[in-house]
């Protein structure tokens, strides 16, 4: 009816995906596994599938490099973490590049400690591969200019093929995604949180001039995938999520709320003489910011700094400052700078 009354065939170009309903495809058509409705009336686009399952309902056909993928939305059962699932356990997490996740529970509760090493190794491997291919591309242009037809064909056939290159990229992505999922599963299984508080890192801003290699490593940090998997795990295990403003969460002391100094993985506060792991300090600040009614998700970072400075100024001169309580009262472990460095090196 569409073709008859709308005068033209609905077409699209350069599409990466196609949504087909149950009337637009069929299974087991003679020698092929699956057929999808095409532009020619009464004729299907037929192909074989590696997965022999037969789906029903709406499907999403995705074009991925040199193959097609069939995506199907399915209902997932919500799992229970423990018998006493009603117990409140709010955990703040700090997503990082060196360590994938640091929690507010304890200083040694970190997950994905090898994430930094893995990302760097994969990024450097792909960079070396690209460097070699760039040299071959330059050699290819030289032979094309000199009309060396045979050498051009040999380079294109034996040196600049895309099958192994694409397979390498897929293998790297699959390895990193597997590591992320394994780390998240261990986090959920061990912490059993009823709610996860995390920072909003949807922005991307590189204001400082960093070395080229560092920028490449940071660009390989798949924070979008990590965020998506956290949301999926939360929905799978019926865990609430709360997103907070990340401004100055890694620069202020979680005990006295004053600005401190962060040196690599060590955070030091000159006011209360606290030395602690920087990611753990940030996770504690993220957890406490959930209950901060004055700093919302959309409060500008300059306004956040003014609020922090105003709060600190009200504490100056106070004789009974509960925020600077001894470590034993706060239930925290204070380490010397030397011992903390040894623990970090051991990890």
């Amino acid at each position: 009816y569409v073709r008859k009354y709308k005068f033209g065939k609905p077409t699209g170009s350069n599409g990466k995906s196609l949504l087909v309903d149950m009337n637009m495809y069929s299974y087991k058509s003679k020698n092929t596994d699956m057929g999808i409705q095409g532009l020619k009336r009464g004729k299907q686009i037929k192909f074989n599938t590696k997965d022999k399952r037969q789906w029903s309902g709406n499907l999403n056909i995705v074009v991925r490099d040199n193959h097609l993928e069939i995506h199907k939305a399915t209902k997932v059962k919500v799992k229970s973490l423990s018998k006493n699932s009603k117990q409140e356990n709010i955990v703040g997490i700090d997503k990082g590049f060196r360590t994938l996740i640091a929690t507010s529970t304890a200083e040694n509760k970190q997950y994905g400690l090898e994430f930094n090493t893995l990302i760097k190794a994969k990024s450097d491997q792909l960079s070396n591969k690209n460097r070699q291919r760039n040299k071959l591309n330059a050699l290819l242009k030289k032979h094309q200019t000199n009309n060396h037809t045979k050498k051009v064909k040999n380079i294109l056939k034996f040196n600049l093929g895309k099958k192994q290159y694409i397979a390498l990229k897929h293998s790297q992505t699959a390895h990193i995604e597997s590591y992320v999922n394994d780390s998240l599963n261990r986090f959920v299984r061990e912490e059993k949180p009823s709610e996860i508080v995390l920072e909003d890192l949807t922005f991307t801003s590189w204001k400082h001039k960093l070395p080229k290699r560092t920028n490449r490593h940071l660009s390989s940090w798949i924070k979008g995938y990590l965020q998506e998997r956290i949301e999926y795990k939360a929905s799978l295990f019926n865990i609430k999520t709360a997103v907070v403003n990340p401004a100055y969460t890694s620069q202020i002391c979680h005990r006295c709320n004053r600005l401190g100094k962060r040196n690599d993985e060590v955070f030091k506060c000159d006011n209360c003489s606290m030395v602690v792991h920087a990611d753990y300090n940030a996770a504690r600040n993220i957890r406490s910011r959930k209950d901060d009614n004055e700093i919302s998700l959309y409060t500008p970072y300059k306004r956040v700094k003014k609020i922090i400075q105003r709060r600190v100024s009200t504490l100056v001169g106070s004789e009974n400052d509960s925020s600077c309580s001894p470590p034993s009262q706060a239930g925290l472990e204070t380490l010397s700078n030397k011992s903390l460095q040894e623990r970090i090196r051991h990890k």
Side-chain angles (χ1 to χ4, degrees), residues 160-268:
L160 287 177
K162 291 187 177 180
K163 287 185 178 179
Q164 292 184 358
Y165 182 74
I166 292 172
L168 174 64
K169 293 181 68 175
H170 280 240
S171 175
Q172 288 187 351
T173 304
H175 190 184
I176 294 173
E177 290 179 353
S178 175
Y179 185 82
V180 169
N181 281 282
D182 180 65
S183 301
L184 287 176
N185 288 335
R186 287 194 300 108
F187 160 70
V188 173
R189 186 170 58 250
E190 294 178 12
E191 299 292 331
K192 294 181 174 56
S194 61
E195 184 173 2
I196 300 175
V197 185
L198 59 155
E199 53 191 340
D200 181 19
L201 293 179
T202 55
F203 62 90
T204 303
S205 176
W206 310 113
K207 292 185 179 180
H208 303 287
K209 293 183 179 180
L210 299 174
K212 185 177 180 181
R213 187 164 180 259
T214 305
N215 279 328
R216 175 164 47 81
H217 290 160
L218 289 174
S219 65
S220 302
W221 180 36
I222 48 176
K223 60 182 180 181
Y225 179 78
L226 175 60
Q227 178 68 25
E228 184 269 329
R229 298 313 293 174
I230 291 175
E231 293 174 357
Y232 171 74
K233 298 295 181 184
S235 62
L236 181 62
F237 293 100
N238 196 23
I239 302 171
K240 297 179 181 178
T241 57
V243 183
V244 298
N245 195 322
Y248 294 97
T249 52
S250 61
Q251 301 179 41
I252 60 175
C253 175
H254 72 266
R255 190 190 301 173
C256 64
N257 269 341
R258 289 173 171 82
L259 290 172
K261 297 178 182 179
R262 176 169 183 168
N263 184 12
D264 199 14
E265 296 185 358
V266 180
F267 180 86
K268 183 178 181 181

